[in-house]
């Protein structure tokens, strides 16, 4: 049976080159990067090379990159490290739990929180952000792209207005790096979180961009590594893997995007040709990400039927799946409850071939006919 992984938004397989490089680093650069001797210095050099690669990929200074243990940790360090009781934060209702749960904790500790719902196009309206600014507003935290919908926020516009009002901006860019060009010289972002496993790098390693002049307090206590913001002996091979993966992703961004867009067209044409009844919720999306509703179909049953044919997709995001309730994120974006329950996320990437897409369309068509019969029986 064919096996096709269509859950690129949840995580990606690791590039072969990255796996090989990480193996070499594990073998050869095992010294503690904080040690003064040659072994330590060799490991230190590996980390600093990755820092330069990361900074180059998003156009910032290498001193502005802090390596972390995940995108989750980067979000925690950014928010907990920046906000004090009494500060006002503006964010959205559809942030990832690694932002949302930190914000809720900060609220319990005395921060003031305003959460804005996304519009029907899946984006947070910049005007609504602006109209909620108060004299206490210290931070706006908005994700670049939403993990369930694939919608992309107008971070350029949002960053212009935060700058105008002298407010800092944190962006969870975990779903965007390697998929959409990000130029931190052009965007007035102050804090930005990324995660290696979303761009064909290893799991368990991320990074936080901290713009020069932004002061974060330490939330993890330890030996002072990573400017004392993420103490702990560094994951040298993981960091090296992140550096190589982000370089590969951004160097090949245009080529990969064009290829993925050609797969998207093939997919949509295939759905149309087979008269498949679907609703594409978001038009302006991260390349390759589709939140698709299948009217009158139970999303969970469709997901399981596809899985039995070797096709892996998601119901909601990976972190909220396992429930049968409609995703709150889809509901907040104005999607009707029944349609939300019929919605699956397909996410394609550079690993897919035209044959894969044709197989998915063929199986979808067969399965939907069967499930439709059950619905109307
Ligand atoms: N932010 C977003 C938007 C995500 O999609 C994810 C992971 O799914 C994260 C943060 C967390 O990243 P990590 O898995 O590296 O902790």
């Amino acid at each position: 049976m064919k096996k096709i992984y269509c859950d690129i938004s949840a995580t990606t397989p690791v590039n072969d080159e990255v796996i090989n490089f990480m193996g070499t680093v594990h073998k050869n650069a095992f010294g503690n990067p904080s040690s003064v001797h040659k072994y330590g210095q060799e490991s230190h050099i590996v980390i600093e090379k990755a820092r330069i690669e990361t900074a180059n990929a998003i156009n910032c200074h290498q001193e502005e990159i802090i390596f972390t243990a995940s995108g989750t940790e980067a979000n925690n360090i950014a928010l907990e490290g920046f906000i004090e009781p009494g500060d006002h934060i503006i964010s959205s209702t559809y942030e990832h739990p690694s932002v949302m749960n930190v914000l809720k904790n900060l609220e319990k500790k005395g921060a003031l929180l305003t959460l804005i719902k996304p519009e029907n196009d899946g984006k947070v309206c910049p005007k609504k952000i602006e109209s909620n600014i108060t004299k206490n507003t210290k931070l706006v935290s908005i994700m670049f792209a939403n993990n369930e919908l694939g919608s992309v926020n107008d971070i350029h516009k949002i960053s212009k207005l935060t700058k105008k009002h002298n407010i800092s901006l944190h962006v969870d860019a975990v779903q965007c790096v390697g998929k959409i060009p990000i130029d931190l010289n052009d965007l007035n972002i102050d804090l930005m979180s990324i995660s290696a496993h979303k761009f064909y790098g290893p799991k368990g390693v991320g990074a936080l961009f901290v713009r020069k002049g932004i002061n974060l307090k330490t939330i993890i206590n330890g030996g002072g590594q990573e400017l004392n913001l993420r103490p702990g002996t560094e994951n040298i091979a993981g960091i090296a893997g992140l550096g190589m993966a982000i370089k590969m992703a951004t160097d090949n961004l245009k080529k990969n995007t064009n290829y993925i867009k050609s797969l998207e067209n093939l997919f949509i044409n295939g759905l149309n040709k087979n008269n498949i009844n679907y609703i594409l919720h978001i038009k302006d999306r991260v390349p390759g990400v589709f939140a698709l509703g299948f009217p009158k179909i139970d999303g969970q049953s469709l997901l399981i039927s596809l899985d039995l044919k070797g096709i892996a997709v998601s119901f909601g995001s990976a972190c909220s799946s396992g429930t049968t309730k409609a995703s709150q994120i889809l509901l907040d974006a104005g999607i009707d409850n029944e349609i939300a329950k019929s919605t699956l996320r397909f996410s394609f990437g550079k690993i897919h071939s035209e044959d894969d897409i044709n197989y998915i369309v063929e199986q979808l068509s067969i399965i939907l006919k069967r499930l439709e019969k059950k619905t109307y029986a």
Side-chain angles (χ1 to χ4, degrees):
M1 187 180 64
K2 249 178 154 4
K3 256 179 100 186
I4 308 176
Y5 176 80
C6 298
D7 208 6
I8 292 295
S9 300
T11 193
T12 54
V14 184
N15 288 320
D16 285 344
E17 297 88 331
V18 171
I19 294 174
N20 292 338
F21 182 49
M22 286 177 67
T24 310
V25 171
H26 268 306
K27 269 196 185 145
N28 300 333
F30 63 86
N32 189 321
S34 300
S35 300
V36 176
H37 49 62
K38 245 202 197 100
Y39 290 90
Q41 290 318 298
E42 275 165 12
S43 298
H44 179 74
I45 288 168
V46 170
I47 292 177
E48 293 317 306
K49 178 172 169 276
R51 205 182 306 279
I52 293 170
E53 286 168 330
T54 308
N56 287 346
I58 51 179
N59 205 9
C60 66
H61 297 286
Q62 66 202 73
E63 314 85 69
E64 295 174 312
I65 297 295
I66 304 294
F67 290 116
T68 66
S70 58
T72 296
E73 195 181 67
N75 282 334
N76 274 261
I77 293 171
L79 299 168
E80 283 265 355
F82 194 64
I83 294 298
E84 300 289 345
D87 291 340
H88 177 226
I89 313 157
I90 301 173
S91 188
S92 75
T93 56
Y94 72 170
E95 296 297 317
H96 187 267
S98 60
V99 166
M100 187 56 75
N101 292 335
V102 182
L103 294 179
K104 292 269 157 81
N105 276 334
L106 287 168
E107 193 181 28
K108 279 188 203 143
K109 290 185 201 164
L112 305 157
L113 184 59
T114 302
L115 297 177
I116 298 170
K117 270 191 187 179
E119 305 297 306
N120 289 355
D121 61 1
K123 300 182 192 198
V124 179
C125 170
K127 276 200 184 122
K128 286 197 180 157
I129 295 178
E130 191 161 28
S131 65
N132 278 288
I133 292 174
T134 69
K135 64 177 187 348
N136 290 332
T137 309
K138 187 172 179 197
L139 184 75
V140 170
S141 177
I142 297 288
M143 66 201 323
F144 216 128
N146 181 266
N147 42 314
E148 285 192 35
L149 298 163
S151 51
V152 182
N153 279 312
D154 190 345
I155 293 297
H156 200 263
K157 208 169 191 175
I158 295 171
S159 79
K160 271 191 169 164
L161 76 86
T162 48
K163 187 167 172 120
K164 182 174 114 191
H165 291 276
N166 207 13
I167 293 165
S168 298
L169 175 63
H170 166 249
V171 173
D172 174 350
V174 165
Q175 288 291 340
C176 276
V177 175
K179 295 176 185 156
I180 289 174
I182 299 180
D183 181 346
L184 288 171
N185 197 29
D186 184 39
L187 296 164
N188 297 305
I189 294 174
D190 299 290
L191 296 155
M192 190 176 88
S193 311
I194 70 177
S195 177
H197 74 95
K198 305 286 184 177
F199 47 82
Y200 303 89
K203 287 157 194 55
V205 58
L208 177 66
F209 157 76
V210 184
R211 193 174 289 283
K212 258 185 218 154
I214 293 288
N215 287 319
L216 294 183
K217 61 177 184 290
T218 298
I219 64 159
I220 305 168
N221 295 298
Q225 293 92 341
E226 297 299 300
L227 301 180
N228 209 22
L229 290 173
R230 204 285 168 179
T233 303
E234 298 87 339
N235 172 3
I236 308 161
I239 291 170
L242 182 151
M244 181 182 254
I246 201 168
K247 180 168 172 17
M248 287 176 73
T250 47
D251 284 355
N252 297 305
L253 196 141
K254 214 168 185 178
K255 188 180 103 200
N256 289 340
T257 305
N258 287 341
Y259 177 63
I260 292 162
K261 286 201 168 154
S262 74
L263 296 181
E264 282 198 357
N265 289 337
L266 187 67
F267 183 55
I268 291 293
N269 288 340
L271 297 180
N272 293 339
K273 252 196 223 148
N274 283 274
N275 292 320
I276 290 176
N277 187 13
Y278 68 91
I279 299 170
L280 173 57
H281 293 306
I282 304 295
K283 303 280 175 308
D284 188 9
R285 301 165 284 110
V286 170
V289 183
F290 290 87
L292 284 181
F294 298 94
K296 302 213 163 59
I297 297 293
D298 173 49
Q300 294 276 11
S301 308
L302 178 56
L303 182 143
I304 291 162
S305 303
L306 286 166
D307 196 34
L308 289 171
K309 292 291 172 191
I311 301 165
V313 299
S314 265
F315 180 75
S317 66
C319 15
S320 61
S321 53
T323 61
T324 49
K325 279 203 301 197
S327 147
Q328 191 57 43
I329 288 179
L330 302 183
L331 299 178
D332 281 354
I335 297 167
D336 159 273
N337 187 54
E338 285 310 304
I339 296 293
K341 281 209 258 180
S342 79
T343 295
L344 295 183
R345 181 186 69 190
F346 292 71
S347 45
F348 301 118
K350 63 176 185 175
I351 57 168
H352 295 110
S353 66
E354 293 190 354
D355 277 354
D356 292 339
I357 303 294
N358 290 332
Y359 176 76
I360 295 162
V361 172
E362 180 193 304
Q363 291 305 320
L364 250 180
S365 179
I366 297 169
I367 294 166
L368 285 170
K369 278 192 188 114
R370 182 164 47 78
L371 293 179
E372 271 163 15
K373 263 196 199 142
K374 264 197 191 163
T375 309
Y376 294 116

